[in-house]
Amino acid sequence: MVWETTLRCNLNCLHCGSAAGKARPNELTTEEGVKLIRDLSEIDAREVCFMGGEPFLRKDWYELGKEVKEQGMEFLVISNGFNINKDIISKLVKLEPYAVSTSLDGGTAKTHDYIRGRKGSFDKVMEYIDLSLDANLPTTVITTVSKLNVKELPMIKDMILNRSIAWQIQVATPHGRFTRDLALSREEYYELGKTIAGFQKEYSRKELPVIGAHGLGYHSKYIPCLGLYPEFRGCQAGVTILSIRSDGAVTGCLATQDEYIEGNIRERSIIDIWNDPNAFSYNRKWKKEYLGENCRDCKHGEVCRGGCLGMSLGLTGKPFNNSYCFYKIEEETICKKIFILKIKSYT
């Protein structure tokens, strides 16, 4: 379960899908948050991840995190690292989190600060990483890739290699503040897959535990599956993943639009929403007919279900229609090469 605890943020990231900055005027109170967490334990949630905005800007984050642990669930948190101090680190240690994640979006301070919209953010996040490692916290770095930083991945790799840091690489897609002109092309996306595969081949999991997230790459003839599982089996929003906005709105994934909101916990408990047989029908009752034109005739369509829903909506405006697919890119490249060879043979 991913909880956008607040939309308030102290940075102004170019790729922020939530366009975070100011808190929503009606964000959940501490009491509502506690009830939400207790209800989540009733529906057998295993993990609760705090994110934002910037979750550490909520004064009650520790109280709420403590409640997660007391209810027998794993606690995770994703922060931009700008506001971290030793007091926050000591509280995190007490919570024994499953993972503490932060964003590192550049191999240089210039790039990271530009993407994050605030000077000094690179130095702050590097300090957070050091403090986290010194406290023996399970540390993860998340890099969101666009045209602005794709060439700096080897530099980021060198900064975290052999430091017991897990590395999650994901792709920025057009929604929120992120504009289409900064998104990777399909060719750049494929090259990114080759880069991650190269890292995985060159380094052991102990040296560099790196993955491609959100279904990054699947059914390639040449690139192995880059995620945690041997095969990508479609969007899990509303199936194994649940998300809550800071105002209590319930959705399968925070990267989807308002039309995918299933209700609000202020009007109906998360228990009722999750157990509603008609909730999240786009995924729970998925049909092959839902596939968009990019995926409709694909032999893998019923397995990958058109790829990551958030990416599909951001890139094509349609669900189950993701054109950023290794298999499709390879097929089109092969067809193009065959066509060129035929043209050459005729001339």
Side-chain angles (χ1 to χ4, degrees):
M1 179 273 190
V2 179
W3 180 13
E4 175 200 80
T5 56
T6 180
L7 201 60
R8 184 184 173 199
C9 193
N10 45 14
L11 299 186
N12 189 39
C13 304
L14 291 174
H15 59 244
C16 182
S18 303
K22 293 182 179 180
R24 299 183 199 270
N26 56 342
E27 296 188 333
L28 297 178
T29 64
T30 303
E31 293 73 21
E32 289 172 321
V34 169
K35 182 181 186 304
L36 167 64
I37 292 165
R38 291 175 180 174
D39 285 349
L40 286 168
S41 69
E42 291 294 319
I43 56 173
D44 297 324
R46 293 196 304 267
E47 302 174 356
V48 180
C49 178
F50 286 12
M51 62 177 295
E54 171 52 41
F56 291 126
L57 293 180
R58 262 194 86 124
K59 293 181 180 180
D60 59 357
W61 75 267
Y62 178 69
E63 180 182 346
L64 294 168
K66 203 172 162 189
E67 185 67 34
V68 170
K69 295 294 292 187
E70 288 176 357
Q71 294 300 321
M73 297 176 287
E74 295 285 5
F75 171 72
L76 302 86
V77 63
I78 301 174
S79 167
N80 59 38
F82 196 86
N83 213 37
I84 302 303
N85 53 44
K86 290 183 178 179
D87 177 59
I88 289 177
I89 292 294
S90 66
K91 288 178 178 176
L92 284 172
V93 171
K94 290 177 184 177
L95 291 176
E96 299 181 325
Y98 183 78
V100 292
S101 302
T102 190
S103 300
L104 181 57
D105 289 317
T108 64
K110 181 180 178 181
T111 300
H112 180 90
D113 289 358
Y114 177 73
I115 292 173
R116 292 266 142 189
R118 187 161 180 177
K119 191 173 182 179
S121 59
F122 178 81
D123 292 337
K124 288 285 189 180
V125 77
M126 295 307 294
E127 180 183 354
Y128 177 29
I129 292 170
D130 289 341
L131 287 171
S132 180
L133 291 174
D134 288 345
N136 293 314
L137 290 168
T139 307
T140 297
V141 158
I142 300 172
T143 301
T144 303
V145 183
S146 67
K147 288 183 183 294
L148 297 169
N149 61 357
V150 65
K151 293 182 179 179
E152 296 191 12
L153 290 178
M155 299 168 67
I156 297 174
K157 178 262 297 180
D158 290 341
M159 288 191 286
I160 64 177
L161 186 65
N162 285 314
R163 297 188 68 193
S164 299
I165 298 173
W167 192 13
Q168 175 177 311
I169 299 175
Q170 58 194 36
V171 178
T173 53
H175 57 276
R177 275 196 291 268
F178 190 69
T179 55
R180 183 63 183 260
D181 60 301
L182 296 178
L184 297 181
S185 67
R186 293 172 79 231
E187 292 74 18
E188 289 170 326
Y189 177 80
Y190 191 81
E191 288 301 315
L192 172 62
K194 289 165 63 177
T195 298
I196 298 172
F199 290 155
Q200 291 180 342
K201 184 176 181 180
E202 184 174 356
Y203 303 102
S204 69
R205 295 283 294 176
K206 185 176 180 181
E207 293 172 308
L208 186 72
V210 56
I211 63 165
H214 306 309
L216 198 159
Y218 37 90
H219 299 122
S220 166
K221 294 181 180 178
Y222 313 104
I223 299 174
C225 186
L226 304 174
L228 291 172
Y229 305 104
E231 185 177 42
F232 178 73
R233 301 194 64 84
C235 173
Q236 292 298 300
V239 180
T240 64
I241 298 171
L242 175 65
S243 301
I244 312 288
R245 294 188 186 179
S246 61
D247 59 0
V250 179
T251 183
C253 174
L254 292 173
T256 56
Q257 291 94 336
D258 288 352
E259 64 190 275
Y260 290 90
I261 292 175
E262 299 289 336
N264 193 296
I265 63 169
R266 283 176 167 147
E267 300 162 1
R268 200 172 164 216
S269 77
I270 194 63
I271 299 172
D272 290 342
I273 294 173
W274 182 256
N275 290 329
D276 186 337
N278 295 313
F280 311 99
S281 60
Y282 56 91
N283 267 344
R284 292 183 179 180
K285 298 181 180 181
W286 188 88
K287 301 175 184 177
K288 185 179 179 181
E289 292 74 31
Y290 292 172
L291 290 172
E293 64 270 16
N294 290 324
C295 308
R296 194 167 293 134
D297 299 323
C298 178
K299 67 179 183 179
H300 298 296
E302 290 186 76
V303 177
C304 77
R305 297 185 173 190
C308 169
L309 182 59
M311 284 190 68
S312 181
L313 291 168
L315 292 165
T316 72
K318 299 177 181 179
F320 314 115
N321 193 46
N322 187 16
S323 60
Y324 278 47
C325 163
F326 288 172
Y327 173 77
K328 194 169 183 67
I329 292 170
E330 289 169 355
E331 289 293 297
E332 290 176 359
T333 302
I334 291 170
C335 289
K336 184 178 180 180
K337 286 181 179 178
I338 292 173
F339 177 75
I340 291 172
L341 287 172
K342 285 184 176 179
I343 292 296
K344 285 182 177 180
S345 68
Y346 287 134
T347 56

